[in-house]
Amino acid sequence: MQNKRVDFRNAFFDEFYKIASKNKKVIFLAADTDADGLVKFRKDFPKQFFNTGVTEQNAISVAAGLAKSGKKVYVYSMVPFITLRCFEQIKIDICSMNLDVCLVGLGTGLSFSYYGSAGHGVIDIAVMRTLPEMTILNPSDPISAAKAAQIINKKKGPKYVRLHKDPRPAIYNLNEKFKFGYQILKKEGKFCIISSGLMTETALKIYQYLKDKNISVSIIDLFQIKPVDTLKLSREIAQYKKIVTIEDNSIIGGIGSICSEIITDYDLKVKLKKFAIKDEQTFIYGSPEWLLKQYNLDDEGLKNSIKKFFLENK
């Protein structure tokens, strides 16, 4: 995994397989959504796997019943369907009783590009952050996706893991500990880029571009979106003059909003600029790369915009 491109979901489910093989109370519900990493699980543990069909709302209620009977339940579907379609069931059936259920969402941001507005995973963070009991993890590479499976297995209560759907290269080392809700990937200078999920790969490309221009920049990967250790993160943010957040989801309610809240709550003297999907319906179709370019979230667009922000009125 360290030196090759691996699909996030396969990395997660390979680790999940190891967990389920040691605990027969682990139950997996798939809402007619598949992954290569699930094939072996279905074959080896048929009594722990159920395909509920395209009935996500029902799957959540079934998961709640299983959790009440002592099972550790995972529910899997596309990001907008596992969150938005059944938000009321998540709120009432799972969160109100603080049940041990993990929602696994496939297709973060614009990765289901040709599915259009119904398939984009760009507002789920804002929605799921409103649930007091919910833990949200947003892995940025296959290694952190596998680690997310370990973290979720040890944690009680409602959880949500967002998984990108395509093979990507590793960012982290296999021995990374992930002790905190965020990882400092680079620690340089008075400027900082905070990213999460797939956009962390982009942040590292921007780091190298700026370094070549003799501009020192730190990179923070906000791996855990909720809960956030706001005190610890505020102390990190306070060290910088300017911060940008980059994310492939809505500009409302995501990591840009999280950082805005921290800066306000702790009265930090830091300038912040947010780069994210505009507050509008995404009705355009195209490849993920083309869609990101339309929102100025591709490598080239971000390089120029971030460089300008960091250097203006230094």
Side-chain angles (χ1 to χ4, degrees):
M1 186 188 299
Q2 184 69 63
N3 298 314
K4 62 180 181 178
R5 297 167 74 92
V6 177
D7 193 304
F8 279 53
R9 54 190 155 176
N10 291 338
F12 181 90
F13 290 131
D14 286 349
E15 195 63 36
F16 171 76
Y17 180 94
K18 300 174 187 176
I19 293 168
S21 66
K22 299 175 183 178
N23 185 358
K24 299 306 178 183
K25 290 186 176 182
V26 171
I27 301 295
F28 193 92
L29 306 180
D32 217 22
T33 305
D34 210 348
D36 292 341
L38 282 176
V39 174
K40 186 178 179 182
F41 181 86
R42 289 199 306 268
K43 179 182 177 182
D44 293 351
F45 309 117
K47 293 183 179 180
Q48 293 173 257
F49 179 92
F50 301 92
N51 187 352
T52 63
V54 188
T55 59
E56 287 86 356
Q57 293 161 315
N58 180 59
I60 296 300
S61 295
V62 170
L66 288 168
K68 285 290 288 182
S69 67
K71 304 297 184 182
K72 192 173 186 68
V73 190
Y74 291 71
V75 189
Y76 174 56
S77 185
M78 286 172 59
V79 164
F81 306 153
I82 197 66
T83 57
L84 310 181
R85 178 175 291 173
C86 43
F87 180 76
E88 184 177 9
Q89 283 76 18
I90 296 170
K91 177 179 181 291
I92 302 300
D93 295 354
I94 294 177
C95 289
S96 67
M97 293 186 285
N98 203 31
L99 297 180
D100 197 5
V101 175
C102 176
L103 311 175
V104 182
L106 174 67
T108 59
L110 302 167
S111 55
F112 273 114
S113 55
Y114 291 103
Y115 283 59
S117 182
H120 295 324
V122 297
I123 63 172
D124 56 300
I125 292 176
V127 170
M128 299 299 278
R129 279 187 67 214
T130 65
L131 297 168
E133 300 82 7
M134 186 64 67
T135 293
I136 306 173
L137 298 184
N138 194 32
S140 55
D141 76 337
I143 291 175
S144 56
K147 188 64 179 182
Q150 298 175 16
I151 294 172
I152 288 303
N153 179 56
K154 295 176 182 177
K155 188 171 180 60
K156 301 292 185 181
K159 295 143 292 194
Y160 172 44
V161 180
R162 307 175 80 244
L163 298 176
H164 185 67
K165 78 174 187 72
D166 295 321
R168 307 303 300 183
I171 291 173
Y172 290 103
N173 295 316
L174 289 170
N175 60 355
E176 187 65 58
K177 299 300 182 182
F178 292 94
K179 291 182 178 180
F180 310 109
Y182 63 86
Q183 303 289 110
I184 301 174
L185 299 178
K186 304 291 182 181
K187 182 75 171 178
E188 301 173 18
K190 290 297 181 180
F191 303 137
C192 181
I193 300 173
I194 299 179
S195 59
S196 186
L198 181 66
M199 296 304 284
T200 297
E201 182 182 330
T202 300
L204 289 169
K205 293 178 182 177
I206 297 168
Y207 159 84
Q208 189 59 53
Y209 166 80
L210 294 175
K211 185 175 182 179
D212 292 342
K213 301 290 183 181
N214 296 316
I215 302 171
S216 298
V217 177
S218 294
I219 303 292
I220 296 176
D221 176 21
L222 192 57
F223 170 78
Q224 181 167 297
I225 294 176
K226 186 177 183 183
V228 174
D229 187 337
T230 58
L231 177 59
K232 185 176 181 62
L233 187 54
S234 72
R235 289 171 176 167
E236 184 63 35
I237 289 175
Q239 300 177 40
Y240 303 102
K241 291 177 60 178
K242 294 182 180 181
I243 286 177
V244 299
T245 57
I246 60 173
E247 52 192 319
D248 58 346
N249 56 267
S250 172
I251 199 165
I252 296 176
I255 66 167
S257 294
I258 291 171
C259 291
S260 295
E261 292 159 12
I262 290 173
I263 289 170
T264 300
D265 292 345
Y266 290 90
D267 194 26
L268 304 181
K269 310 305 179 185
V270 180
K271 288 186 178 181
L272 168 68
K273 190 171 183 63
K274 299 179 286 186
F275 294 91
I277 304 293
K278 298 175 183 177
D279 181 26
E280 63 185 35
Q281 293 280 2
T282 306
F283 289 130
I284 54 178
Y285 292 75
S287 68
E289 294 77 17
W290 184 85
L291 287 169
L292 287 171
K293 187 173 183 179
Q294 306 314 300
Y295 289 104
N296 196 40
L297 293 174
D298 63 311
D299 295 355
E300 292 304 315
L302 283 172
K303 285 175 183 177
N304 295 325
S305 298
I306 291 174
K307 176 185 173 185
K308 180 180 178 181
F309 172 68
F310 281 158
L311 295 185
E312 65 185 4
N313 302 318
K314 282 184 64 177

Short mmCIF file of all heavy atoms in Angstrom, two decimals, residues 226-268:
data_model
loop_
_atom_site.label_atom_id
_atom_site.label_comp_id
_atom_site.label_asym_id
_atom_site.label_seq_id
_atom_site.Cartn_x
_atom_site.Cartn_y
_atom_site.Cartn_z
N LYS A 226 -15.10 15.74 13.30
CA LYS A 226 -15.85 15.90 14.54
C LYS A 226 -15.66 14.67 15.41
O LYS A 226 -15.72 13.55 14.88
CB LYS A 226 -17.35 16.11 14.24
CG LYS A 226 -18.16 16.43 15.49
CD LYS A 226 -19.61 16.70 15.18
CE LYS A 226 -20.31 17.08 16.49
NZ LYS A 226 -21.75 17.31 16.30
N PRO A 227 -15.46 14.81 16.72
CA PRO A 227 -15.21 16.10 17.39
C PRO A 227 -13.80 16.61 17.08
O PRO A 227 -12.90 15.83 16.79
CB PRO A 227 -15.35 15.75 18.86
CG PRO A 227 -14.97 14.29 18.94
CD PRO A 227 -15.47 13.67 17.67
N VAL A 228 -13.64 17.92 17.16
CA VAL A 228 -12.36 18.57 16.96
C VAL A 228 -11.85 19.07 18.30
O VAL A 228 -12.62 19.67 19.07
CB VAL A 228 -12.47 19.75 15.97
CG1 VAL A 228 -11.16 20.51 15.88
CG2 VAL A 228 -12.90 19.24 14.60
N ASP A 229 -10.60 18.81 18.60
CA ASP A 229 -9.99 19.37 19.81
C ASP A 229 -9.70 20.85 19.51
O ASP A 229 -8.62 21.22 19.08
CB ASP A 229 -8.70 18.63 20.14
CG ASP A 229 -8.10 19.04 21.48
OD1 ASP A 229 -8.39 20.16 21.94
OD2 ASP A 229 -7.32 18.26 22.05
N THR A 230 -10.71 21.68 19.74
CA THR A 230 -10.61 23.09 19.34
C THR A 230 -9.52 23.85 20.08
O THR A 230 -8.87 24.72 19.51
CB THR A 230 -11.96 23.81 19.53
OG1 THR A 230 -12.37 23.71 20.90
CG2 THR A 230 -13.03 23.20 18.65
N LEU A 231 -9.29 23.51 21.34
CA LEU A 231 -8.25 24.20 22.10
C LEU A 231 -6.88 23.89 21.51
O LEU A 231 -6.07 24.80 21.28
CB LEU A 231 -8.31 23.78 23.57
CG LEU A 231 -7.21 24.38 24.47
CD1 LEU A 231 -7.26 25.91 24.45
CD2 LEU A 231 -7.34 23.84 25.90
N LYS A 232 -6.63 22.62 21.26
CA LYS A 232 -5.34 22.21 20.71
C LYS A 232 -5.13 22.81 19.31
O LYS A 232 -4.06 23.33 18.99
CB LYS A 232 -5.25 20.69 20.66
CG LYS A 232 -3.89 20.16 20.21
CD LYS A 232 -3.86 18.65 20.30
CE LYS A 232 -2.50 18.09 19.87
NZ LYS A 232 -1.40 18.55 20.73
N LEU A 233 -6.17 22.73 18.48
CA LEU A 233 -6.05 23.25 17.13
C LEU A 233 -5.94 24.78 17.13
O LEU A 233 -5.22 25.35 16.29
CB LEU A 233 -7.25 22.82 16.27
CG LEU A 233 -7.18 23.15 14.78
CD1 LEU A 233 -5.90 22.62 14.15
CD2 LEU A 233 -8.40 22.60 14.04
N SER A 234 -6.61 25.44 18.07
CA SER A 234 -6.51 26.90 18.15
C SER A 234 -5.08 27.34 18.46
O SER A 234 -4.60 28.36 17.94
CB SER A 234 -7.47 27.45 19.23
OG SER A 234 -7.01 27.13 20.54
N ARG A 235 -4.39 26.59 19.30
CA ARG A 235 -3.00 26.91 19.63
C ARG A 235 -2.09 26.73 18.42
O ARG A 235 -1.11 27.45 18.26
CB ARG A 235 -2.53 26.03 20.79
CG ARG A 235 -3.19 26.40 22.12
CD ARG A 235 -2.89 25.38 23.20
NE ARG A 235 -3.44 25.80 24.50
CZ ARG A 235 -3.53 25.01 25.55
NH1 ARG A 235 -3.10 23.74 25.47
NH2 ARG A 235 -4.04 25.45 26.70
N GLU A 236 -2.42 25.78 17.57
CA GLU A 236 -1.66 25.59 16.34
C GLU A 236 -1.94 26.72 15.36
O GLU A 236 -1.03 27.31 14.78
CB GLU A 236 -2.02 24.23 15.72
CG GLU A 236 -1.21 23.88 14.49
CD GLU A 236 0.26 23.71 14.76
OE1 GLU A 236 0.62 23.24 15.86
OE2 GLU A 236 1.06 24.07 13.86
N ILE A 237 -3.22 27.04 15.17
CA ILE A 237 -3.61 28.08 14.23
C ILE A 237 -3.03 29.43 14.63
O ILE A 237 -2.64 30.24 13.78
CB ILE A 237 -5.16 28.16 14.16
CG1 ILE A 237 -5.71 26.93 13.42
CG2 ILE A 237 -5.61 29.44 13.45
CD1 ILE A 237 -7.22 26.86 13.40
N ALA A 238 -2.96 29.68 15.94
CA ALA A 238 -2.49 30.99 16.44
C ALA A 238 -1.04 31.29 16.06
O ALA A 238 -0.61 32.44 16.14
CB ALA A 238 -2.65 31.03 17.96
N GLN A 239 -0.31 30.28 15.63
CA GLN A 239 1.10 30.48 15.28
C GLN A 239 1.29 31.11 13.89
O GLN A 239 2.39 31.50 13.53
CB GLN A 239 1.83 29.13 15.31
CG GLN A 239 1.81 28.45 16.68
CD GLN A 239 2.47 27.09 16.64
OE1 GLN A 239 3.50 26.91 15.99
NE2 GLN A 239 1.90 26.11 17.33
N TYR A 240 0.20 31.22 13.12
CA TYR A 240 0.32 31.65 11.74
C TYR A 240 -0.29 33.03 11.50
O TYR A 240 -1.21 33.44 12.21
CB TYR A 240 -0.34 30.63 10.81
CG TYR A 240 0.23 29.25 10.97
CD1 TYR A 240 -0.44 28.28 11.70
CD2 TYR A 240 1.48 28.92 10.43
CE1 TYR A 240 0.09 27.00 11.88
CE2 TYR A 240 2.02 27.66 10.60
CZ TYR A 240 1.33 26.70 11.33
OH TYR A 240 1.87 25.46 11.50
N LYS A 241 0.23 33.73 10.49
CA LYS A 241 -0.31 35.01 10.09
C LYS A 241 -1.53 34.84 9.19
O LYS A 241 -2.51 35.57 9.30
CB LYS A 241 0.75 35.84 9.36
CG LYS A 241 1.90 36.34 10.23
CD LYS A 241 2.93 37.08 9.39
CE LYS A 241 2.33 38.28 8.69
NZ LYS A 241 3.34 39.04 7.92
N LYS A 242 -1.43 33.87 8.29
CA LYS A 242 -2.51 33.63 7.34
C LYS A 242 -2.75 32.13 7.17
O LYS A 242 -1.81 31.34 7.19
CB LYS A 242 -2.18 34.25 5.97
CG LYS A 242 -2.12 35.77 5.96
CD LYS A 242 -1.83 36.27 4.55
CE LYS A 242 -1.77 37.80 4.51
NZ LYS A 242 -1.51 38.30 3.13
N ILE A 243 -4.02 31.79 7.01
CA ILE A 243 -4.40 30.39 6.83
C ILE A 243 -5.38 30.30 5.67
O ILE A 243 -6.24 31.17 5.49
CB ILE A 243 -5.06 29.84 8.11
CG1 ILE A 243 -4.01 29.61 9.20
CG2 ILE A 243 -5.79 28.53 7.82
CD1 ILE A 243 -4.59 29.13 10.50
N VAL A 244 -5.25 29.25 4.87
CA VAL A 244 -6.28 28.94 3.89
C VAL A 244 -6.79 27.53 4.18
O VAL A 244 -6.04 26.66 4.66
CB VAL A 244 -5.77 29.02 2.43
CG1 VAL A 244 -5.29 30.41 2.11
CG2 VAL A 244 -4.69 28.00 2.16
N THR A 245 -8.06 27.33 3.92
CA THR A 245 -8.64 25.99 3.99
C THR A 245 -9.05 25.59 2.59
O THR A 245 -9.59 26.40 1.83
CB THR A 245 -9.86 25.93 4.93
OG1 THR A 245 -10.85 26.87 4.48
CG2 THR A 245 -9.47 26.25 6.36
N ILE A 246 -8.77 24.35 2.21
CA ILE A 246 -9.20 23.85 0.91
C ILE A 246 -9.97 22.55 1.11
O ILE A 246 -9.55 21.67 1.87
CB ILE A 246 -8.00 23.65 -0.06
CG1 ILE A 246 -6.99 22.65 0.49
CG2 ILE A 246 -7.33 24.98 -0.35
CD1 ILE A 246 -5.89 22.31 -0.53
N GLU A 247 -11.10 22.44 0.44
CA GLU A 247 -11.95 21.26 0.58
C GLU A 247 -12.82 21.12 -0.65
O GLU A 247 -13.18 22.11 -1.30
CB GLU A 247 -12.82 21.37 1.83
CG GLU A 247 -13.62 22.66 1.94
CD GLU A 247 -14.24 22.85 3.31
OE1 GLU A 247 -14.74 21.86 3.87
OE2 GLU A 247 -14.21 23.97 3.82
N ASP A 248 -13.19 19.87 -0.98
CA ASP A 248 -14.02 19.62 -2.14
C ASP A 248 -15.47 19.39 -1.75
O ASP A 248 -16.16 18.52 -2.28
CB ASP A 248 -13.47 18.44 -2.95
CG ASP A 248 -13.37 17.15 -2.15
OD1 ASP A 248 -13.47 17.22 -0.90
OD2 ASP A 248 -13.18 16.09 -2.77
N ASN A 249 -15.92 20.18 -0.77
CA ASN A 249 -17.34 20.17 -0.41
C ASN A 249 -17.79 21.61 -0.18
O ASN A 249 -17.02 22.54 -0.37
CB ASN A 249 -17.60 19.30 0.82
CG ASN A 249 -16.79 19.70 2.01
OD1 ASN A 249 -15.70 19.17 2.22
ND2 ASN A 249 -17.27 20.63 2.80
N SER A 250 -19.02 21.77 0.22
CA SER A 250 -19.61 23.10 0.32
C SER A 250 -18.80 24.02 1.22
O SER A 250 -18.23 23.61 2.23
CB SER A 250 -21.04 23.00 0.86
OG SER A 250 -21.57 24.27 1.14
N ILE A 251 -18.79 25.30 0.85
CA ILE A 251 -18.10 26.30 1.65
C ILE A 251 -18.83 26.54 2.97
O ILE A 251 -18.29 27.13 3.90
CB ILE A 251 -17.98 27.62 0.86
CG1 ILE A 251 -16.89 28.52 1.47
CG2 ILE A 251 -19.34 28.33 0.76
CD1 ILE A 251 -16.47 29.66 0.56
N ILE A 252 -20.05 26.03 3.07
CA ILE A 252 -20.84 26.16 4.30
C ILE A 252 -20.74 24.87 5.12
O ILE A 252 -21.05 23.78 4.63
CB ILE A 252 -22.32 26.45 3.98
CG1 ILE A 252 -22.45 27.81 3.29
CG2 ILE A 252 -23.17 26.41 5.25
CD1 ILE A 252 -23.86 28.15 2.85
N GLY A 253 -20.28 24.98 6.34
CA GLY A 253 -20.33 23.86 7.28
C GLY A 253 -19.17 22.90 7.26
O GLY A 253 -19.16 21.94 8.04
N GLY A 254 -18.16 23.13 6.41
CA GLY A 254 -17.03 22.21 6.33
C GLY A 254 -15.85 22.65 7.16
O GLY A 254 -16.00 23.32 8.19
N ILE A 255 -14.64 22.32 6.72
CA ILE A 255 -13.46 22.64 7.54
C ILE A 255 -13.18 24.14 7.55
O ILE A 255 -12.60 24.65 8.51
CB ILE A 255 -12.22 21.84 7.09
CG1 ILE A 255 -11.76 22.25 5.69
CG2 ILE A 255 -12.46 20.36 7.18
CD1 ILE A 255 -10.38 21.72 5.34
N GLY A 256 -13.60 24.84 6.50
CA GLY A 256 -13.47 26.29 6.51
C GLY A 256 -14.32 26.90 7.62
O GLY A 256 -13.89 27.80 8.34
N SER A 257 -15.52 26.37 7.79
CA SER A 257 -16.41 26.83 8.86
C SER A 257 -15.85 26.46 10.23
O SER A 257 -15.92 27.24 11.17
CB SER A 257 -17.81 26.22 8.69
OG SER A 257 -18.42 26.70 7.52
N ILE A 258 -15.27 25.27 10.33
CA ILE A 258 -14.68 24.84 11.59
C ILE A 258 -13.57 25.80 12.01
O ILE A 258 -13.50 26.25 13.16
CB ILE A 258 -14.12 23.40 11.47
CG1 ILE A 258 -15.27 22.41 11.34
CG2 ILE A 258 -13.25 23.05 12.68
CD1 ILE A 258 -14.82 20.99 10.99
N CYS A 259 -12.70 26.14 11.06
CA CYS A 259 -11.58 27.05 11.37
C CYS A 259 -12.10 28.46 11.67
O CYS A 259 -11.56 29.15 12.55
CB CYS A 259 -10.58 27.07 10.23
SG CYS A 259 -9.67 25.52 10.05
N SER A 260 -13.13 28.89 10.96
CA SER A 260 -13.73 30.21 11.23
C SER A 260 -14.27 30.26 12.66
O SER A 260 -14.08 31.26 13.37
CB SER A 260 -14.87 30.48 10.24
OG SER A 260 -14.41 30.59 8.93
N GLU A 261 -14.92 29.19 13.06
CA GLU A 261 -15.48 29.12 14.42
C GLU A 261 -14.37 29.17 15.47
O GLU A 261 -14.51 29.86 16.50
CB GLU A 261 -16.30 27.83 14.56
CG GLU A 261 -17.57 27.82 13.72
CD GLU A 261 -18.09 26.42 13.46
OE1 GLU A 261 -17.61 25.46 14.10
OE2 GLU A 261 -18.97 26.28 12.58
N ILE A 262 -13.29 28.45 15.22
CA ILE A 262 -12.17 28.43 16.17
C ILE A 262 -11.53 29.82 16.27
O ILE A 262 -11.25 30.31 17.38
CB ILE A 262 -11.13 27.38 15.75
CG1 ILE A 262 -11.69 25.97 15.96
CG2 ILE A 262 -9.83 27.55 16.55
CD1 ILE A 262 -10.80 24.87 15.42
N ILE A 263 -11.30 30.46 15.14
CA ILE A 263 -10.68 31.79 15.13
C ILE A 263 -11.56 32.79 15.88
O ILE A 263 -11.05 33.61 16.66
CB ILE A 263 -10.45 32.26 13.67
CG1 ILE A 263 -9.32 31.43 13.05
CG2 ILE A 263 -10.11 33.74 13.62
CD1 ILE A 263 -9.17 31.64 11.55
N THR A 264 -12.87 32.69 15.70
CA THR A 264 -13.79 33.59 16.39
C THR A 264 -13.87 33.28 17.88
O THR A 264 -13.75 34.17 18.73
CB THR A 264 -15.20 33.49 15.77
OG1 THR A 264 -15.13 33.86 14.40
CG2 THR A 264 -16.17 34.43 16.49
N ASP A 265 -14.05 32.01 18.20
CA ASP A 265 -14.24 31.61 19.61
C ASP A 265 -13.01 31.89 20.47
O ASP A 265 -13.14 32.20 21.66
CB ASP A 265 -14.60 30.12 19.69
CG ASP A 265 -15.98 29.81 19.11
OD1 ASP A 265 -16.76 30.76 18.92
OD2 ASP A 265 -16.26 28.63 18.84
N TYR A 266 -11.82 31.76 19.88
CA TYR A 266 -10.59 31.97 20.64
C TYR A 266 -9.97 33.33 20.36
O TYR A 266 -8.86 33.60 20.82
CB TYR A 266 -9.60 30.85 20.35
CG TYR A 266 -10.02 29.51 20.94
CD1 TYR A 266 -10.81 28.62 20.20
CD2 TYR A 266 -9.65 29.15 22.22
CE1 TYR A 266 -11.21 27.41 20.74
CE2 TYR A 266 -10.05 27.93 22.76
CZ TYR A 266 -10.83 27.07 22.02
OH TYR A 266 -11.23 25.86 22.55
N ASP A 267 -10.69 34.18 19.62
CA ASP A 267 -10.26 35.55 19.34
C ASP A 267 -8.82 35.59 18.80
O ASP A 267 -7.97 36.32 19.27
CB ASP A 267 -10.36 36.41 20.62
CG ASP A 267 -10.25 37.90 20.31
OD1 ASP A 267 -10.58 38.29 19.18
OD2 ASP A 267 -9.84 38.66 21.21
N LEU A 268 -8.59 34.76 17.77
CA LEU A 268 -7.26 34.66 17.18
C LEU A 268 -7.04 35.76 16.13
O LEU A 268 -7.96 36.10 15.39
CB LEU A 268 -7.07 33.29 16.53
CG LEU A 268 -7.29 32.07 17.44
CD1 LEU A 268 -7.05 30.78 16.66
CD2 LEU A 268 -6.39 32.12 18.66
#
